[in-house]
Each structure stands twice: as C-alpha cells, then as structure tokens.
Amino acid sequence: WRRMRAVRALSAAEVSLLGSAGAGSAWNFEYAGGSFEVELRGDGYNHFVCKSYPDHSHWTMGGANGNELTIHWGKYGTYEMVVDGASNTGAGSFKGQPSNWRKMAKVRDLGVETGSDDCGHDHSHEHTENCGH
C-alpha cells in the first residue's frame, strides 16, 4: 500500500489539461502544415492520443508554475509547450527547435469513459529518463 498527501494545488494549466472530470481533454494541435485533433488523457498513464499521427505516446507536466507540457510522441519526437490554463491555449515547439513551432487550443473536456480505453500496451516497466516516456 501507499500513502499520499497533496503537495500543492493543481495549476490552471493542469486543470485545463485534465478537464472537469479528470479524464483529460481534446485539443486542436496546429503546425505550419495544418492542424488536427489530439487528446491528452488523464488515464493514469497520461496517454497522448492522435488519430492522424498515431504512436504510443505520453505527456508530462512540469516547471515551477506547473504549466510546462512535454509530449513524448514516439517516432514523431518530443515537443515542449507552455500551457495557459486561463485561455486554454498553448505554444511551443519540437524540442530544441524553436522554429519548428506548434500551437494548441482546447476543444473540449473528455468524459470518464475515454480514460478507460485500453491502449493495448504493457505499462509494467519502470519509467526512467531513458524509456522514452
């Protein structure tokens, strides 16, 4: 068994990403070549789902203000975004390539049924900085 205690309240960016039910949210993800919908799921594994460019992917939050989103998008690479929870928007780029920009805008919250979708991947390994998510 484990014990947990709250360290801090969720940031506005985290609340925006997790959505009203805690199941996650859908966003319009934009780049120079167009836009498409992505999901940032609050499913216990933080799955990042994109039906237009699928790969087994995850997201993490960090930063002193709790607004720095990192997307580990499998074969498509790593993206670093800053999320503005008040305006439900985000901006960033491919990691280390500021000119390879991305923008995002929230479309909707996800329902709790979305978070229970089986991704088909085994998550039994330990997460390290070298595992890719």
Side-chain angles (χ1 to χ4, degrees):
W1 61 273
R2 305 281 189 264
R3 288 187 180 188
M4 296 178 7
R5 66 177 174 83
V7 176
R8 62 173 176 78
L10 293 175
S11 70
E14 291 165 328
V15 169
S16 181
L17 291 173
L18 290 172
S20 59
S25 52
W27 295 73
N28 184 53
F29 206 71
E30 180 183 347
Y31 71 116
S35 66
F36 47 88
E37 189 170 292
V38 300
E39 294 178 356
L40 292 113
R41 294 189 177 172
D43 60 1
Y45 300 107
N46 288 8
H47 280 111
F48 176 83
V49 177
C50 177
K51 293 179 180 167
S52 298
Y53 300 97
D55 203 358
H56 187 224
S57 309
H58 297 265
W59 62 274
T60 58
M61 289 296 288
N65 296 318
N67 65 343
E68 296 175 16
L69 169 67
T70 302
I71 301 168
H72 305 280
W73 199 342
K75 65 185 174 191
Y76 299 106
T78 301
Y79 294 81
E80 297 175 325
M81 311 287 290
V82 175
V83 177
D84 182 338
S87 67
N88 291 314
T89 60
S93 67
F94 188 88
K95 184 176 181 178
Q97 297 180 14
S99 63
N100 194 353
W101 61 268
R102 299 293 186 273
K103 294 179 184 177
M104 54 192 257
K106 189 172 181 177
V107 176
R108 68 183 176 285
D109 291 341
L110 299 176
V112 293
E113 68 283 349
T114 305
S116 64
D117 289 350
D118 181 12
C119 73
H121 294 279
D122 179 18
H123 289 92
S124 62
H125 69 279
E126 288 188 33
H127 291 272
T128 67
E129 64 183 60
N130 298 320
C131 76
H133 58 278

